[in-house]
Amino acid sequence: MMTMLDRSKPSPLVTPPHAEPLDDALARLSTSRKGLNQAEADARLEEYGPNRTPRGRRTPALLRFFRHFHNALIYVLIGAAAITWWLGHPIDTAVILFVVFANAVIGFIQEGRAEAAMEAIESLLSPHAAVYRDGRRVTVEAVTVVPGDVVFVEAGDRIPADLRLIKSSHLRIQEAILTGESVAVDKSVGVSQADAPLGDRTGCAFSGTIVTAGQAEGLVVATGINTEIGRISGMLSSVDRLQTPLLRQMNAFAKWLTILILLIGAALLSFGVFIRNADFSETFMSVVGLSVAAIPEGLPAVLTITMAIGVRAMAGKNAIVRRLPAIETLGAVSVICTDKTGTLTHNEMMASAIIVAGQAFDVTGDGYTPSGDISPAPSEPVQSVLEQLAITATVCNDSRLVKDAQTWTVSGDPMEGALLAFAGKILGPLDDVRRDHPRTAVLPFDARHRFMATLTTNGTGQHVRAKGAPEVISSLCTKMMGPDGTPVPIDHKFIKA
């Protein structure tokens, strides 16, 4: 039976978890490698709160509906409806009010759908977690995980909280949601430098990331808003809300239109009463009728329906648009910032430039489609070097290109898929290449040696082919291909340059 642990709040965090020795982290969190007991876990849950990302303040549905009336042009239309009713034109009043309410209903329905889609993001946190309580491994809801818990994870699990690893066995974690890197990261129990970027903190696992291989035990060092993904969520919740260009233009248009109509109405009323000596009440009613007729009551409905069509088209491309006016903002975008690998967009990569035999070539094509051109056209000696490079990219590769209808996708690593697409542009169908160069042995890629190698056999004998980090591959070689396609002594300075 475990004794009750110290319920005092863990001491202030001086050294970041990735740079903190494990024993120090255990002592700071008043826990052990066997985890917490249930009483202590309940007390900490009361103290730290549920392990979930912060939820923004929800706007009541009624308030969201009436918010669609908060527009200068809508105010003008409501005023026009009141005047037409006063003038005894109920049909005109009904038409104007129908346009106003239709505009609000369309926007309200679209926002409701977007809100439902945004709530699905909460599924990033694993619903359950395996933790050690009272010395036994039990399964609990992820929202009840607290700092000081010891969590067990294995391939396929989503990390429930930020962890400092205690044990690790061939652990690899996909951290694309935090770093944008498409390749899973190898993890270990060692410490990292205090100023190490998030992607280099190999001794930690972060909430919301996915275990792709291996298993591990980790000490929970942060939950909820204090995790890396919680910090990002908190930053997003504090973003200032700005009006879109369309809404600014609509408000300016409504303001100037109202002023213009009032000025013209006042001028017509003055002209009729003081110059033409017309009856004031009759002239006033005529001026009001002209003013109402000048208001473009169909404009908000046309804009709302147009934007709703745009939102529907974006939804077909798997893009969530939370508010209708935001769809117009896309047309005003002048700069798009994205990550270097394209993981945030399509998670696709493509070989776009090749350097062989001291010459650089551009590669054209689209995604993983194995067709494209090499420019400028290589000479005969260089062409043979390109073919050897393409064979290496094919046989020293564990992925496959798959054609689904008219679209090519990769089954495996995106980088390896890009190499296969490049090889297809040089060699044509790759099944023939793999059949002619059967693999007899393989050295899988590992972060420690940073390359992958295969042993293949064909009619000319056995060949070792490898791909990996340039400095590692070049350090294993004594020769390289010269400009004429023949081997020359390797020039490490040239390669580095």
Side-chain angles (χ1 to χ4, degrees), residues 15-20 164 190-197 200-204:
T15 305
H18 59 273
E20 186 178 28
R164 173 69 171 86
V191 297
S192 306
Q193 295 293 328
D195 58 352
D200 293 338
R201 301 173 188 176
T202 56
C204 289

Side-chain angles (χ1 to χ4, degrees), residues 68-103:
H68 291 279
F69 295 94
H70 183 52
N71 180 283
L73 189 56
I74 297 298
Y75 294 152
V76 173
L77 289 177
I78 293 175
I83 293 173
T84 55
W85 178 264
W86 180 54
L87 292 175
H89 300 288
I91 296 179
D92 293 341
T93 302
V95 170
I96 294 174
L97 290 179
F98 174 78
V99 169
V100 170
F101 277 93
N103 176 76

